[in-house]
Amino acid sequence: EPEVTQTPSHQVTQMGQEVILRCVPISNHLYFYWYRQILGQKVEFLVSFYNNEISEKSEIFDDQFSVERPDGSNFTLKIRSTKLEDSAMYFCASSRGLANEQFFGPGTRLTVL
Amino acid sequence: QKEVEQNSGPLSVPEGAIASLNCTYSDRGSQSFFWYRQYSGKSPELIMFIYSNGDKEDGRFTAQLNKASQYVSLLIRDSQPSDSATYLCAVKIPAGNQFYFGTGTSLTVIP
């Protein structure tokens, strides 16, 4: 069964460093998403991406964040200058269509020291 | 503010019993509703989705939607210890394509 994959599973970085989180969505899906979940808190939407552009973003997704689909399979989230409060699980998700269910990857645990 | 509310629990039920999980949402225009299961340290796993008022059954799971009351629930029949997890309610509003998640209800099934 096709699934969303994410790398790395765990990323440790120093405050102020740049990180890139990678995702490979399900191959026939057209919509891609990034969510984050701070430990013990709810899953929060960051950004959605369709047709090679951002279609929606939340207040969390400020200028420190960017997304890219550099080729036909990868979907990346970049955090330019990490802060302590960026420590969280970051989930990538994809869906076939706008109204369809989203399937989540296993997540990347980001730890900012 | 688009809110999705869930009772955080913990909810404990004995093995074999019915577990009932509830969710309310604030945006009356919401059209799509999803239940995810999340084990500790893992990603959300889709259990069911429902779009229309009424009940939708899939195996041991039944989702119930009442748009007039802005209420969606998940029933788990014949609960098993492996059902012990946090259950997340997610709502999609018509405008935009993001999901709004509740904080989740922690369920423990006692053998």
Side-chain angles (χ1 to χ4, degrees), chain A residues 82-102:
Chain A
T82 49
K83 308 187 205 48
L84 295 176
E85 55 265 35
D86 293 327
S87 294
M89 280 289 281
Y90 287 81
F91 295 112
C92 174
S94 69
S95 65
R96 257 187 304 122
L98 195 58
N100 294 107
E101 60 276 23
Q102 297 179 11

Side-chain angles (χ1 to χ4, degrees), chain A residues 40-110:
Chain A
Q41 298 187 24
K42 69 166 77 174
V43 175
E44 299 175 289
F45 169 79
L46 293 178
V47 66
S48 60
F49 193 86
Y50 169 72
N51 200 26
N52 278 323
E53 59 183 29
I54 291 173
S55 53
E56 193 169 354
K57 59 183 181 179
S58 71
E59 319 77 66
I60 303 168
F61 194 89
D62 60 22
D63 291 344
Q64 296 283 72
F65 292 88
S66 62
V67 289
E68 194 178 35
R69 188 154 163 83
D71 53 45
S73 59
N74 290 284
F75 179 51
T76 62
L77 174 70
K78 182 192 289 186
I79 310 175
R80 285 191 187 82
S81 179
T82 49
K83 308 187 205 48
L84 295 176
E85 55 265 35
D86 293 327
S87 294
M89 280 289 281
Y90 287 81
F91 295 112
C92 174
S94 69
S95 65
R96 257 187 304 122
L98 195 58
N100 294 107
E101 60 276 23
Q102 297 179 11
F103 293 90
F104 283 72
T108 293
R109 179 172 298 284
L110 176 64

Side-chain angles (χ1 to χ4, degrees), chain A residues 10 35-44 60 84-91 108-112, chain B residues 38-43 86 88 102-104:
Chain A
H10 191 187
Y35 291 84
R36 80 171 185 191
Q37 187 176 31
I38 295 170
L39 187 64
Q41 298 187 24
K42 69 166 77 174
V43 175
E44 299 175 289
I60 303 168
L84 295 176
E85 55 265 35
D86 293 327
S87 294
M89 280 289 281
Y90 287 81
F91 295 112
T108 293
R109 179 172 298 284
L110 176 64
T111 302
V112 182
Chain B
Q38 187 175 32
Y39 294 111
S40 180
K42 302 294 186 184
S43 63
T86 297
L88 309 178
T103 53

